Amino acid sequence: MSQWPSIADIVQSVEAGKVQATELVRQALKTIEDKQEYQAIIAVIKERAENRAADIDKRVAKGEKIGRLAGVPFIAKDNMLTFGSETTAASNILKGFEAPYQATAIEKLEAEGAICVAKANLDAFAHGASTENSDVMTTKNPHDTSRVPGGSSGGSAAAVVLDMAPFALGTDTGGSIRLPASFTGAVGYKPTYGLVSRSGVIAMASSTDVIGPLARTVEDAALVLDVMSGRDDLDGTTIERDTSPYTTLDVSVKGKTVGIIAEYMDEGVDPAIRKEIEAAVKQLQAAGANIVSVSLPSLPLALACYYIICPAEVSSNLSRYDGQHYGFSHADAKSLEESYNWSRSEGFGDEAKRRIMIGTYVLSSGYYDAYYKKAQTVRTKLVEEFTRAFKKVDFLAGPVAPMTAFEIGKNVDDPLQMYLVDIMTVAASLVGIPAVSVPVAKVQGLPVGLQLMAPQKHDRALLSLAAKIKETA
Ligand code: GLN
């Protein structure tokens, strides 16, 4: 059992003066300290968090209303700009960088009384599926410390499952919220692209990056999404949010059709996982949904498409880290050119370099048509196939990954094997639709998540559907 009640209950207790925000922050920081061996946290925001909590307690004592997240501690993935600690995206090239402003999502949560207490570990710049690409350390899976927690938001997912805070924020570019949620047994929600502002997020692939919550329940995730979503002048790709709150979870499942994605249920998937996914979908049937099988024929191309478009955008987004503007700068360089070269050579890890090289290659004049343009064509085809599928079904379902959490070290020397872990998550990112991982069961002691997807902007319905799932073991 978790030491945290639901977020709604915490807020009620704080607003009623029954629990002090100071006490909640103390509890979060103590758990973080006690569970250091999991290596989920790379920076603690102690002083600022304590001051904010003390301020909230004072305001409560004066009878002021605080907000919908009054006194709730949370943890942000370290690729989001926050005050009170360095923000490094777990990359050596950003060592020492302190944010001059906070991410819009953080500002929105704080405006409702939430308190950021720490920054979570990740694969450097969010490139990865295990957190082993972090330049700082590898986070351990709370269920088996010899295994990865998934990535890239592995620190955030582990932190939630380890009870360090009631919720954490992750980012999902090709699966980085859903995969660690599945591997650790958290709920991980990737909103519709543009529903949450990317302002203040260290960009990975700008056309798919989204912020989303990792939490213990769908209800908690919905509340966090409700607070942080909406149009933002600082991010031109943001969209209008629903006028109804995401927290009501009252979209009926009765008579809705859920399509199990045939391509995600083939022999490549661990049969024990397939069985659990089928059992979980039966719960939706019991709640009144019709279950059908759906084929999206271009899905087998999604991974290759993603691993062209993503590095292309990465190579462009990482060009700003040149040793002059942010964080690390090579001290011995004697010219500007040397400073660029040496700072980037030493500051970036292997995976960032690999993506810069692949991205630059696929965008180069000689190969643009053969790779980048073709990948964009496939992306359009995927959008068309999903649009067509959503004319027949209301939701799509399948596993999050073909396997449960793997051993630390298993895939580190084989980048292709690591990329394959993303085979079932990248399509929703390329298409920009909302997708969620909800824990359904355990296979040999390791959590398995069910992935559910809905059309763009159907976040309320998707959360309502996800709330119907109960974990069986
Ligand atoms: N594992 C995927 C990648 O490495 C997704 C990462 C992410 O969503 N940030 O690109």
Side-chain angles (χ1 to χ4, degrees):
M1 270 305 281
S2 168
Q3 63 170 334
W4 304 103
S6 74
I7 296 179
D9 284 350
I10 298 175
V11 171
Q12 209 174 30
S13 305
V14 170
E15 292 274 19
K18 285 194 209 132
V19 171
Q20 297 220 304
T22 328
E23 177 53 29
L24 297 173
V25 165
R26 196 198 60 76
Q27 191 179 326
L29 293 175
K30 177 163 190 315
T31 311
I32 289 170
E33 167 115 28
D34 289 349
K35 295 184 176 172
Q36 274 180 48
E37 81 260 27
Y38 292 94
Q39 308 195 143
I41 300 300
I42 51 180
V44 167
I45 302 182
K46 188 172 188 300
E47 203 184 315
R48 186 167 187 278
E50 285 171 349
N51 289 342
R52 278 182 47 78
D55 179 56
I56 286 173
D57 289 338
K58 252 191 248 148
R59 286 168 52 205
V60 171
K62 275 197 257 162
E64 277 179 46
K65 193 113 186 70
I66 306 301
R68 291 192 296 154
L69 293 173
V72 179
F74 74 98
I75 291 165
K77 186 175 179 179
D78 197 38
N79 60 349
M80 291 172 208
L81 305 192
T82 55
F83 293 146
S85 74
E86 289 182 3
T87 296
T88 68
S91 170
N92 285 334
I93 207 162
L94 275 170
K95 246 192 201 149
F97 174 69
E98 293 200 19
Y101 62 95
Q102 296 205 109
T104 296
I106 305 281
E107 289 283 321
K108 286 193 172 193
L109 296 171
E110 285 197 353
E112 292 290 336
I115 303 172
C116 187
V117 293
K119 302 299 286 292
N121 193 28
L122 64 150
D123 289 294
F125 287 110
H127 306 163
S130 68
T131 79
E132 291 165 293
N133 290 338
S134 166
D135 289 346
V136 185
M137 61 198 176
T138 296
T139 301
K140 296 174 180 162
N141 191 305
H143 300 271
D144 176 348
T145 52
S146 70
R147 291 173 188 269
V148 302
S152 64
S153 312
S156 301
V160 166
V161 171
L162 291 166
D163 254 358
M164 292 173 175
F167 75 94
L169 297 183
T171 58
D172 193 312
T173 302
S176 280
I177 290 175
R178 290 161 283 158
L179 185 74
S182 180
F183 279 12
T184 62
V187 170
Y189 190 78
K190 175 194 111 61
T192 296
Y193 178 75
L195 192 57
V196 179
S197 170
R198 289 178 293 115
S199 174
V201 175
I202 293 175
M204 180 178 165
S206 308
S207 76
T208 66
D209 286 348
V210 273
I211 297 185
L214 286 135
R216 291 188 324 277
T217 62
V218 173
E219 287 75 9
D220 284 356
L223 175 53
V224 175
L225 179 70
D226 204 55
V227 171
M228 67 182 178
S229 54
R231 280 268 315 137
D232 179 17
D233 288 343
L234 298 174
D235 175 1
T237 60
T238 47
I239 55 173
E240 286 306 335
R241 47 154 295 146
D242 297 49
T243 40
S244 315
Y246 295 113
T247 43
T248 48
L249 301 174
D250 59 357
V251 180
S252 172
V253 174
K254 269 208 182 74
K256 296 273 161 61
T257 306
V258 178
I260 302 183
I261 300 177
E263 286 78 4
Y264 288 177
M265 294 295 267
D266 65 10
E267 334 54 75
V269 182
D270 177 342
I273 293 181
R274 242 185 302 164
K275 213 176 108 220
E276 295 302 345
I277 296 302
E278 277 158 9
V281 170
K282 289 238 166 68
Q283 293 188 34
L284 299 175
Q285 197 167 21
N290 306 317
I291 311 296
V292 297
S293 174
V294 170
S295 170
L296 295 113
S298 299
L299 271 184
L301 301 174
L303 194 72
C305 169
Y306 173 84
Y307 274 101
I308 290 171
I309 291 173
C310 168
E313 295 188 28
V314 162
S315 70
S316 160
N317 275 327
L318 292 186
S319 63
R320 69 183 65 134
Y321 306 106
D322 55 6
Q324 323 307 311
H325 296 91
Y326 314 91
F328 172 73
S329 185
H330 203 289
D332 303 328
K334 290 190 190 60
S335 67
L336 188 57
E337 179 138 5
E338 244 175 41
S339 177
Y340 288 155
N341 282 341
W342 292 3
S343 303
R344 285 169 71 83
S345 298
E346 255 179 58
F348 284 131
D350 287 349
E351 188 57 31
K353 286 178 189 162
R354 190 174 294 121
R355 295 193 191 212
I356 291 169
M357 286 192 285
I358 295 172
T360 310
Y361 182 83
V362 300
L363 288 174
S364 63
S365 62
Y367 294 98
Y368 180 92
D369 283 354
Y371 293 102
Y372 186 72
K373 211 168 147 202
K374 215 177 254 173
Q376 290 292 17
T377 308
V378 171
R379 186 177 190 174
T380 304
K381 189 131 186 58
L382 284 167
V383 172
E384 285 165 6
E385 285 180 16
F386 273 86
T387 309
R388 217 175 304 139
F390 282 129
K391 290 214 168 92
K392 287 192 233 137
V393 302
D394 300 287
F395 304 101
L396 290 167
V400 174
M403 73 290 276
T404 51
F406 47 86
E407 299 269 338
I408 290 173
K410 181 169 178 255
N411 292 332
V412 273
D413 297 324
D414 190 345
L416 276 182
Q417 221 39 53
M418 193 69 97
Y419 296 168
L420 275 169
V421 176
D422 307 324
I423 191 132
M424 291 163 179
T425 48
V426 292
S429 299
L430 290 167
V431 176
I433 55 174
V436 60
S437 173
V438 251
V440 289
K442 294 203 180 64
V443 166
Q444 287 167 350
L446 296 171
V448 173
L450 166 71
Q451 183 171 208
L452 297 168
M453 305 172 194
Q456 280 194 353
K457 300 192 193 174
H458 287 224
D459 296 80
R460 270 188 78 227
L462 183 59
L463 287 160
S464 302
L465 182 77
K468 298 282 179 300
I469 299 289
K470 298 282 163 275
E471 195 173 348
T472 50

